[in-house]
Amino acid sequence: MTSAKTHLNSKEFAEQAAEEMITSRSFWADARVRFFKNRMAVVSVFMLLCLVLFAIFGHNFAKWSYEEIDWSILGKIKTEGAPSIANGHYFGLDELGRDMFARVVQGSRTSLLVGFVAGITSVIIGSIIGAMAGYYGGRFDQIVMGMYTIWLAVPYIIFFVVWQAFFGRSLAQLIMVIILVNWTAGLLIVRGQVMMMKNREFVDAARMLGLNDFAIIFRHIAPNVLWVVVIYSSMVVPEVIMMESLVSFLGVGIQEPNTSWGALISEGASTMTFGTLWQLAYPAAFFVIAQVSLYYIGDGLRDALDPKDRR
Amino acid sequence: MTQPVLEVDNLHVAFPSRQGRKYPWSPMNAVRALNGVSFDLTKGQTLGIVGESGCGKSTLIRAIAGLNKPTQGSVKLNGADVDYDNRRDVLNLRKSIQMIFQDPVASLNPRMTIRDIVAEPLTAFRTDLNNTTRLEKVRNMLDRVGIAERNFNRYPHEFSGGQCQRIGIARALVVEPSILLCDEPVSALDVSIQAQVVNLLQELQRDMDLSLIFVAHDLGVVRHISDDILVLYMGSMMEKAAGKTLVSAPQHPYTQALLSAVPVPDPNVQVQSQVLEGDLPSPLNLPVGCVFESRCPKRASICTTEKPVSQDIKQSQVACHFAAN
Amino acid sequence: MTLLSVRDLNIRFTTGDGDVHAVNNVSFDLSAGQKVALVGESGSGKSQIALSIMGLLAKNAIVSGQVMFNGNNLLAASNDELNQIRAQKIAMIFQDPMSALNPYMKVGRQLSEIVELHEGLSRRDARIRAIEVMEAVQIPDAKRRLDAYPHEFSGGMRQRIVIAMALICRPQIILADEPTTALDVTVQAQIMHLLDDIQRDMDTAVLLITHDLGVVAGFCEDVMVLYGGRMMEKSKVGALFKSPSHPYTRGLLRAVPNIHDQTGQLHAIPGSPPNQMNAPTACPFAPRCNDVIDTCWQTLPELTGEDTQRACIQPVEALS
């Protein structure tokens, strides 16, 4: 026997090996590694982070507030309102003489806030309802599915208009109404996943431990369907930003002087023919960057989390 | 005679089903999965339950465990009736009755480390324990089933099927139940691994004075591990006898057919398997008479009209009109 | 006459974590009318061998070696050539009858389609052939059942249809991959009877792939035992069951519980199935073998012997 082999068979080695705990990566740690291997996703996270920082701290760099009118340039916007470092209007002026930079910062703030808060909240609500429907089945499931079907038939633009006519137009109202419209997000997919999971034997095993339904749903089933919820959220957030932009574009969204990407794009588009293209270009660029990075992040999450590739 | 740990009397389970209804608002049909099964289980004994797929063998032990609600009949644990609608009763029952499952990997939560998996029953049932004693118990139990401590922080998918079944056994036994229900615990495993798990179960049974109810479709394994064997067909009891009697002198025609079909690993033994003709009855619409009548080689007119009652013939309990001859 | 000859078959699968060596240096012959069993546990590579013969391996497989059939190397054959051979010359029976049948097609159509395609029969003739073959697999009332869908049959009947599909072109070789694993014992007995009858009538060669030694004993003439993708033993059925010459075969036979003999403990084979991430350099069974000696860890035993071929460096007499 070689000396290496003697060592392998020695008692000390066995004891050492026994003491050394093997700690394997959890599913989430594993997914994180895979996510960070995806170059596009990492770049997108970076871009999105920049956007968020821009939205939070951008005002500190602006020389003007988003509602102030620069009377000195008003009326000469076509000739003097173009982006310029010298007069402090980095992104130029809009047709009312307001600083576009400040307005884009404010618009990013609103859009991202609405997108993340409303998007994630609605997915959470939909997922919880979906999980309960999937787990309990029967009458509760039938009622939820009935409501879902009815909800699909409600035209959401009209719902927006009616809601805002009754309750006024504010940021909080906007978020509320988007959550209401989107409560079905994630419902079907989580319901299906839970229905599949509840027939797995480890759920029976958990029931054998006398755990109540709450503990089974949240301790045993939820960790196993969380990846679906995460992927779904990454799809719903850009969708909600898009929805917010659409309703703002149509003029039923956010109230002036507050603004959002959609509202800015709408204004920019209406003045495009005057040759003041910067009024459209800046908000549109930010909007596109946000959408594309969110898309790639979602894609990366899907690749990292979808267990289909896993053994 | 000593008191049996578990007495099952005339247990019925039916599932509501939409199938076969005329209109959507017609009342639900009932799939009668289990129709009047009775047996006693004494301490330290093993009862084997065999039958083909769909015969209700899994339903039976799931009903005992309270995972399916029995529609009729009673289960007595240590002489006391179990009320499956009473949460406290069911919790009590599960302290003394635990279960292992067919698919070893699927029966473990993929997001939990095996230490957490085995510790969970203790957190649920033994609230009196502190952290250290709990982990001590987990370590001893996992050690007992042959999982090295260095692997405690790993996840189920990193183990082979046989090891996962060992972990499942550890989870079931860590609370020291008196009865272990085994739902086809080895049918997903390879022969060489199957023998390891069966041996482990037998050792643990001896050490912990466990009673086992062992469900399988493989007669060889059931015969090996069981004292008594119960044969189920379409949710009804066909025959129950001591393993040796059942194998050497089967009384019921179904048992005879089942035994003759078991392949023997010896080319010199000419297996004369009895071929069963006919179709299985639908569990939605069970026949009035004997459930085996449609495939039975011995059928007569009495079989279609009258349900055979279980009677003692020699040392066996047989439900057949012709068993006596 | 040798119909099919497999030489030095190696199958590897490339995965994200490295290569899995599923089959290593497997060689065997199949003669006309011969009934051969390929026995092994899950992961032994037995199904992969059948799939490689049919050219149905997964895309990440790397195959080397030879599978000679009628002078053609099937491993090098084009897809068109393989399509000619599949079903007509070599047919396969799969484990799960439900997934082998198209649920949206009447079974009669699924049967007749094959002969229409391969033998150019007219629709009517193909239908007549379908009835014939359904009667051959003893499906009662074949004429009427032709127009039924797969879900209208019981599991055993479905497997009969799958067998009928395999037989309809009168192939020379049938590869049966665990044909009865999904079935109940009483049905299993019927199906094995049927296969036996058909094999005798048509003089087809059958390669039965299974993990169940009981089925092998009742059906086959020759047995090949696989472990960790390597051939461990190749022998006549009688000799193998009477005096298994390889430690793995011995362990396997002892591990099967016998219903007529309840001894105290089952003889388990200790340990876990082998890790196939590396190409074997030593006997893959060594870590679990009772009779292991030092040289077992260093040499890769070759299959040697006359009637009974075995891959073990120790003489039979030295085994426990």
Side-chain angles (χ1 to χ4, degrees):
Chain A
M1 234 186 248
T2 59
S3 67
K5 250 195 136 182
T6 331
H7 174 64
L8 281 179
N9 286 333
S10 69
K11 201 170 170 229
E12 298 92 81
F13 180 80
E15 275 166 5
Q16 264 176 12
E19 272 165 28
E20 180 195 346
M21 287 288 262
I22 300 174
T23 302
S24 27
R25 285 196 299 235
S26 74
F27 170 75
W28 292 102
D30 226 24
R32 195 165 56 228
V33 170
R34 255 174 295 160
F35 183 82
F36 282 110
K37 272 191 195 151
N38 186 334
R39 197 166 304 144
M40 271 322 270
V42 177
V43 170
S44 299
V45 168
F46 178 74
M47 295 296 285
L48 193 68
L49 214 65
C50 291
L51 270 186
V52 170
L53 290 176
F54 173 78
I56 295 173
F57 300 109
H59 280 312
N60 301 339
F61 302 102
K63 295 241 167 75
W64 308 77
S65 96
Y66 69 93
E67 15 187 22
E68 246 175 296
I69 295 172
D70 187 349
W71 298 100
S72 63
I73 304 178
L74 188 64
K76 301 174 272 185
I77 287 165
K78 187 160 185 234
T79 48
E80 289 176 32
S84 136
I85 308 272
N87 63 10
H89 298 296
Y90 311 129
F91 290 1
L93 293 161
D94 75 353
E95 56 172 349
L96 292 177
R98 292 176 295 194
D99 181 31
M100 273 307 286
F101 179 79
R103 286 188 72 72
V104 170
V105 170
Q106 183 59 26
S108 308
R109 223 177 237 204
T110 314
S111 285
L112 289 174
L113 189 74
V114 169
F116 278 94
V117 172
I120 290 173
T121 317
S122 46
V123 171
I124 289 173
I125 292 173
S127 302
I128 291 174
I129 298 175
M132 309 253 274
Y135 185 78
Y136 290 108
R139 187 52 51 82
F140 182 72
D141 185 41
Q142 280 174 4
I143 293 171
V144 169
M145 290 315 289
M147 279 164 62
Y148 172 78
T149 319
I150 293 169
W151 200 248
L152 283 183
V154 175
Y156 73 96
I157 300 278
I158 295 177
F159 187 82
F160 257 92
V161 176
V162 172
W163 180 276
Q164 302 222 328
F166 271 97
F167 299 102
R169 285 166 62 174
S170 70
L171 189 62
Q173 289 297 338
L174 186 70
I175 290 175
M176 274 278 275
V177 72
I178 287 180
I179 291 172
L180 249 167
V181 167
N182 268 321
W183 71 274
T184 52
L187 185 135
L188 274 196
I189 196 160
V190 170
R191 173 177 170 267
Q193 282 286 322
V194 170
M195 281 175 133
M196 212 173 76
M197 280 292 158
K198 80 167 177 186
N199 290 327
R200 293 276 294 273
E201 282 177 339
F202 73 84
V203 174
D204 281 334
R207 290 175 68 194
M208 284 306 293
L209 304 181
L211 299 185
N212 57 28
D213 292 342
F214 186 83
I216 289 177
I217 294 179
F218 286 96
R219 284 245 305 276
H220 285 276
I221 296 181
N224 284 290
V225 296
L226 195 58
W227 65 274
V228 179
V229 178
V230 170
I231 292 174
Y232 209 79
S233 308
S234 75
M235 283 154 58
V236 168
V237 169
E239 229 169 73
V240 165
I241 292 178
M242 187 71 97
M243 181 187 259
E244 188 274 336
S245 300
L246 180 64
V247 292
S248 294
F249 187 90
L250 296 174
V252 287
I254 201 82
Q255 177 103 48
E256 286 284 329
N258 201 348
T259 191
S260 73
W261 286 334
L264 287 171
I265 291 171
S266 162
E267 285 164 20
S270 65
T271 60
M272 207 167 69
T273 43
F274 308 141
T276 54
L277 263 182
W278 62 86
Q279 292 178 8
L280 176 64
Y282 285 103
F286 275 80
F287 178 77
V288 169
I289 290 171
Q291 288 288 328
V292 170
S293 6
L294 280 167
Y295 171 79
Y296 274 111
I297 292 171
D299 208 44
L301 282 173
R302 201 162 36 238
D303 286 348
L305 292 174
D306 196 342
K308 239 175 244 156
D309 290 337
R310 296 170 65 80
R311 270 186 298 146
Chain B
M1 199 183 141
T2 52
Q3 159 124 44
V5 274
L6 188 78
E7 294 161 77
V8 174
D9 186 35
N10 196 25
L11 203 67
H12 285 71
V13 178
F15 299 107
S17 163
R18 286 173 211 281
Q19 244 183 45
R21 292 187 312 174
K22 201 165 174 195
Y23 305 108
W25 53 85
S26 323
M28 289 285 211
N29 271 325
V31 175
R32 291 164 60 195
L34 204 61
N35 306 293
V37 174
S38 317
F39 61 84
D40 291 350
L41 184 68
T42 40
K43 194 147 190 58
Q45 263 212 321
T46 304
L47 175 74
I49 298 175
V50 283
E52 297 178 295
S53 49
C55 73
K57 52 192 194 300
S58 289
T59 310
L60 171 60
I61 63 167
R62 289 172 63 88
I64 294 169
L67 293 174
N68 298 328
K69 277 226 172 80
T71 38
Q72 200 187 319
S74 73
V75 173
K76 277 187 195 159
L77 181 66
N78 295 320
D81 249 317
V82 180
D83 176 5
Y84 284 103
D85 290 322
N86 182 337
R87 212 181 131 67
R88 174 160 306 170
D89 254 27
V90 176
L91 273 185
N92 245 328
L93 172 93
R94 287 177 183 162
K95 273 183 208 172
S96 31
I97 300 188
Q98 276 296 324
M99 188 162 169
I100 56 177
F101 299 87
Q102 176 168 12
D103 185 338
V105 184
S107 67
L108 308 175
N109 188 337
R111 297 284 187 275
M112 286 165 84
T113 62
I114 64 160
R115 186 205 305 274
D116 293 342
I117 288 171
V118 179
E120 197 176 28
L122 291 173
T123 23
F125 291 126
R126 296 290 301 275
T127 36
D128 54 308
L129 296 177
N130 63 20
N131 248 334
T132 353
T133 40
R134 184 161 59 227
L135 288 180
E136 184 62 36
K137 269 181 176 294
V138 170
R139 184 174 313 134
N140 289 342
M141 196 64 232
L142 277 170
D143 188 48
R144 186 71 194 76
V145 298
I147 302 288
E149 188 174 357
R150 55 206 292 264
N151 293 326
F152 284 9
N153 283 343
R154 308 181 95 178
Y155 291 86
H157 69 89
E158 300 173 89
F159 293 90
S160 69
Q163 286 170 316
C164 282
Q165 196 57 282
R166 287 164 185 271
I167 297 163
I169 292 172
R171 168 178 60 190
L173 295 184
V174 73
V175 286
E176 293 160 23
S178 54
I179 300 172
L180 183 65
L181 307 174
C182 314
D183 187 2
E184 303 241 17
V186 294
S187 51
L189 305 176
D190 279 322
V191 189
S192 65
I193 308 294
Q194 168 179 309
Q196 291 176 8
V197 172
V198 168
N199 286 344
L200 175 70
L201 272 176
Q202 283 191 307
E203 267 170 49
L204 288 167
Q205 173 176 35
R206 232 179 357 255
D207 296 351
M208 303 176 74
D209 204 13
L210 276 172
S211 308
L212 296 185
I213 297 184
F214 192 97
V215 166
H217 62 265
D218 183 340
L219 252 170
V221 178
V222 172
R223 163 78 184 101
H224 178 81
I225 199 170
S226 311
D227 299 303
D228 286 347
I229 297 178
L230 192 155
V231 182
L232 276 183
Y233 181 80
M234 292 307 288
S236 299
M237 228 165 93
M238 297 286 107
E239 181 164 0
K240 181 179 167 265
K244 199 173 175 185
T245 327
L246 189 107
V247 169
S248 55
Q251 301 294 318
H252 197 282
Y254 177 64
T255 320
Q256 290 163 1
L258 202 60
L259 276 169
S260 75
V262 175
V264 183
D266 183 350
N268 299 324
V269 176
Q270 257 314 312
V271 185
Q272 279 306 322
S273 60
Q274 223 173 306
V275 175
L276 290 177
E277 305 283 347
D279 288 321
L280 281 98
S282 158
L284 279 168
N285 186 15
L286 285 179
V288 206
C290 177
V291 281
F292 187 53
E293 180 267 333
S294 59
R295 295 171 79 195
C296 186
K298 287 190 187 170
R299 64 175 159 253
S301 59
I302 185 173
C303 300
T304 45
T305 52
E306 220 174 292
K307 195 173 254 347
V309 222
S310 188
Q311 46 187 323
D312 289 326
I313 291 154
K314 292 174 193 154
Q315 288 115 7
S316 314
Q317 270 181 42
V318 190
C320 178
H321 295 297
F322 300 104
N325 342 331
Chain C
M1 186 189 82
T2 306
L3 269 180
L4 182 82
S5 110
V6 174
R7 287 286 166 274
D8 297 322
L9 184 66
N10 282 285
I11 303 174
R12 269 183 302 148
F13 290 95
T14 46
T15 69
D17 305 326
D19 281 8
V20 177
H21 295 255
V23 176
N24 304 299
N25 272 330
V26 167
S27 305
F28 62 89
D29 291 329
L30 194 60
S31 312
Q34 203 185 9
K35 293 184 285 188
V36 179
L38 200 51
V39 180
E41 299 181 294
S42 46
S44 63
K46 54 188 193 303
S47 293
Q48 304 308 331
I49 292 177
L51 291 174
S52 71
I53 295 172
M54 297 293 280
L56 295 173
L57 282 172
K59 285 213 168 59
N60 60 342
I62 301 168
V63 198
S64 65
Q66 274 191 330
V67 176
M68 299 302 289
F69 176 76
N70 281 352
N72 294 330
N73 184 1
L74 296 187
L75 295 181
S78 71
N79 214 16
D80 287 347
E81 291 171 290
L82 277 176
N83 274 339
Q84 286 298 313
I85 289 165
R86 281 181 208 148
Q88 281 195 74
K89 309 276 194 227
I90 307 178
M92 191 154 175
I93 301 171
F94 293 93
Q95 176 174 352
D96 179 4
M98 198 58 203
S99 58
L101 295 168
N102 180 343
Y104 294 108
M105 235 167 127
K106 290 172 179 165
V107 293
R109 192 74 203 106
Q110 299 191 42
L111 285 167
S112 53
E113 196 184 50
I114 306 169
V115 267
E116 274 174 48
L117 188 73
H118 284 298
E119 298 184 9
L121 292 185
S122 72
R123 225 175 158 122
R124 257 194 61 196
D125 292 342
R127 201 178 155 86
I128 293 166
R129 178 77 83 78
I131 297 174
E132 275 172 22
V133 76
M134 271 172 82
E135 275 163 357
V137 296
Q138 296 159 20
I139 293 175
D141 207 1
K143 219 172 244 164
R144 203 172 48 81
R145 306 286 291 253
L146 216 53
D147 291 321
Y149 288 92
H151 69 262
E152 296 174 75
F153 292 85
S154 66
M157 283 295 158
R158 253 179 244 146
Q159 194 59 295
R160 281 166 197 260
I161 292 165
V162 172
I163 293 173
M165 279 174 81
L167 290 175
I168 195 160
C169 288
R170 302 200 177 94
Q172 292 166 294
I173 300 174
I174 294 179
L175 307 176
D177 187 1
E178 305 258 11
T180 57
T181 309
L183 305 173
D184 287 320
V185 264
T186 52
V187 184
Q188 165 173 297
Q190 293 169 14
I191 296 288
M192 289 321 291
H193 256 296
L194 176 72
L195 266 180
D196 205 30
D197 288 348
I198 286 168
Q199 190 276 335
R200 213 169 313 129
D201 292 351
M202 299 181 135
D203 201 30
T204 324
V206 177
L207 182 67
L208 177 74
I209 294 159
T210 183
H211 67 275
D212 189 336
L213 288 163
V215 172
V216 173
F219 181 78
C220 293
E221 295 148 358
D222 296 273
V223 194
M224 301 184 283
V225 182
L226 280 177
Y227 182 81
R230 286 189 73 83
M231 192 84 83
M232 295 281 116
E233 183 167 2
K234 205 193 298 191
S235 158
K236 290 272 167 219
V237 151
L240 184 108
F241 281 89
K242 197 163 157 244
S243 57
S245 72
H246 193 281
Y248 174 60
T249 321
R250 290 193 175 187
L252 209 55
L253 277 169
R254 282 186 207 152
V256 182
N258 185 342
I259 59 168
H260 293 289
D261 169 33
Q262 187 186 27
T263 44
Q265 260 211 334
L266 289 178
H267 293 272
I269 304 177
S272 301
N275 175 5
Q276 291 170 303
M277 295 306 284
N278 299 312
T281 51
C283 176
F285 189 58
R288 304 176 70 184
C289 185
N290 273 332
D291 303 301
V292 66
I293 53 172
D294 276 356
T295 24
C296 289
W297 298 94
Q298 282 132 27
T299 39
L300 192 59
E302 292 297 328
L303 210 56
T304 51
E306 285 294 304
D307 288 341
T308 294
Q309 292 185 299
R310 53 198 291 275
C312 183
I313 52 170
Q314 296 203 66
V316 186
E317 304 79 47
L319 301 180
S320 59

